[in-house]
Amino acid sequence: MLVKFDLHIHSCLSPCASLSMSPGEIVSRVKAAGLGGFVLSDHQSARNAPAAAECAKRAGVGFLPGLEVQTAEEVHTLCVFDTVEAALLMTDWVYEAMPKRVNDPETFGDQPVVTWDDDIVDMEWRILAMGCRRSIPETAAKVHELGGLYIVAHVDRPNYSVFSGLGAIPEGCFDAVELSRTADAQIWLPKVEGYALTRSSDAHNLDDVAKVWSESDISQFNVASLKEAFKNKKVSISPRLTAF
């Protein structure tokens, strides 16, 4: 079964995302675009994953919970799991290594935790715009211990990417490499030789959801199927966008 998917979408919990990015609205856009699955990957946290999971279930859309972890190297990485429980365990592990500073919404933005029907149940007090003290190898080990998929995010970006921060991809850590929606795959293929590619929207507002995607012939939208597809280089990516 050929499945289109987007592995990098932010909800209103991410301080840099639009407050219109409620789990329900995201799911509606994903379904309307014909995607078979998506990952909610808020910065440093999966606290809106329970709401997204319920919305996806009601809409009949494939969903995997995740988070985008900014590591000690200041590199953005995607952690993808089969269960909300695993994603929340990862969140707790990341939180333990974050600065104990209270978020200032005026500076960094609001960080609402919501229910599937958009009620705000909490405001995350930590500054999710800040990174944690976990290194890439540590984070990779934890993700894999929890049965997850570890992807290095938007490697083509000039900031918070593995090439801008380290100049190369650490060996033995990642299951796949993500290109941003504007990256020219032909330019980046030689730089990421040996890795499977995925392209994601990294959507922070509703209009960007599903602007780009990846696709693969998989039986289910789950971690095992995606890992196998990446391992066998059976994932194809949509054309790049020429501008944001």
Side-chain angles (χ1 to χ4, degrees):
M1 176 175 62
L2 193 61
V3 178
K4 289 184 178 181
F5 49 84
D6 187 338
L7 304 183
H8 192 168
I9 296 178
H10 292 266
S11 81
C12 52
L13 176 60
S14 290
C16 46
S18 167
L19 291 177
S20 66
M21 292 290 278
S22 70
E25 289 294 334
I26 292 169
V27 169
S28 293
R29 294 295 180 105
V30 166
K31 187 170 184 176
L35 267 60
F38 77 101
V39 174
L40 193 70
S41 48
D42 283 312
H43 290 290
Q44 310 293 86
S45 181
R47 291 191 66 194
N48 271 350
E54 181 62 25
C55 291
K57 179 180 177 182
R58 289 170 178 261
V61 171
F63 169 74
L64 293 174
L67 54 158
E68 182 176 18
V69 174
Q70 182 178 319
T71 65
E73 299 90 349
E74 296 193 348
V75 172
H76 285 191
T77 63
L78 301 176
C79 312
V80 181
F81 302 96
D82 277 321
T83 68
V84 169
E85 291 76 16
L88 291 175
L89 285 173
M90 188 72 193
T91 298
D92 290 341
W93 186 79
V94 170
Y95 278 2
E96 289 170 2
M98 287 181 65
K100 301 300 188 285
R101 289 179 56 188
V102 177
N103 183 51
D104 176 7
E106 293 295 323
T107 302
F108 296 106
D110 292 304
Q111 300 176 157
V113 179
V114 299
T115 63
W116 71 270
D117 53 354
D118 296 346
D119 283 341
I120 296 175
V121 294
D122 196 14
M123 298 295 286
E124 174 58 55
W125 63 267
R126 298 166 184 82
I127 304 175
L128 299 182
M130 301 185 74
C132 70
R133 297 186 302 276
R134 308 293 194 187
S135 69
I136 287 174
E138 287 178 301
T139 307
K142 187 64 176 180
V143 171
H144 292 141
E145 174 191 320
L146 291 171
L149 185 70
Y150 197 39
I151 300 170
V152 60
H154 43 65
V155 296
D156 53 288
R157 295 268 178 86
N159 299 300
Y160 300 113
S161 72
V162 70
F163 284 105
S164 68
L166 299 177
I169 302 174
E171 292 185 10
C173 293
F174 296 104
D175 299 297
V177 166
E178 180 197 65
L179 295 183
S180 75
R181 50 192 158 174
T182 59
D184 187 333
Q186 295 309 309
I187 291 175
W188 285 92
L189 278 172
K191 301 180 182 182
V192 298
E193 186 176 0
Y195 288 92
L197 292 183
T198 183
R199 195 193 294 275
S200 308
S201 68
D202 192 8
H204 285 67
N205 60 73
L206 291 173
D207 288 340
D208 287 336
V209 172
K211 271 192 171 178
V212 295
W213 62 87
S214 301
E215 62 183 2
S216 184
D217 188 359
I218 53 179
S219 58
Q220 297 182 68
F221 184 66
N222 60 21
V223 166
S225 293
L226 290 173
K227 272 194 175 182
E228 188 69 15
F230 285 133
K231 179 181 177 181
N232 296 318
K233 311 294 191 302
K234 297 293 187 182
V235 175
S236 59
I237 61 175
S238 68
R240 64 189 286 253
L241 300 181
T242 55
F244 278 97

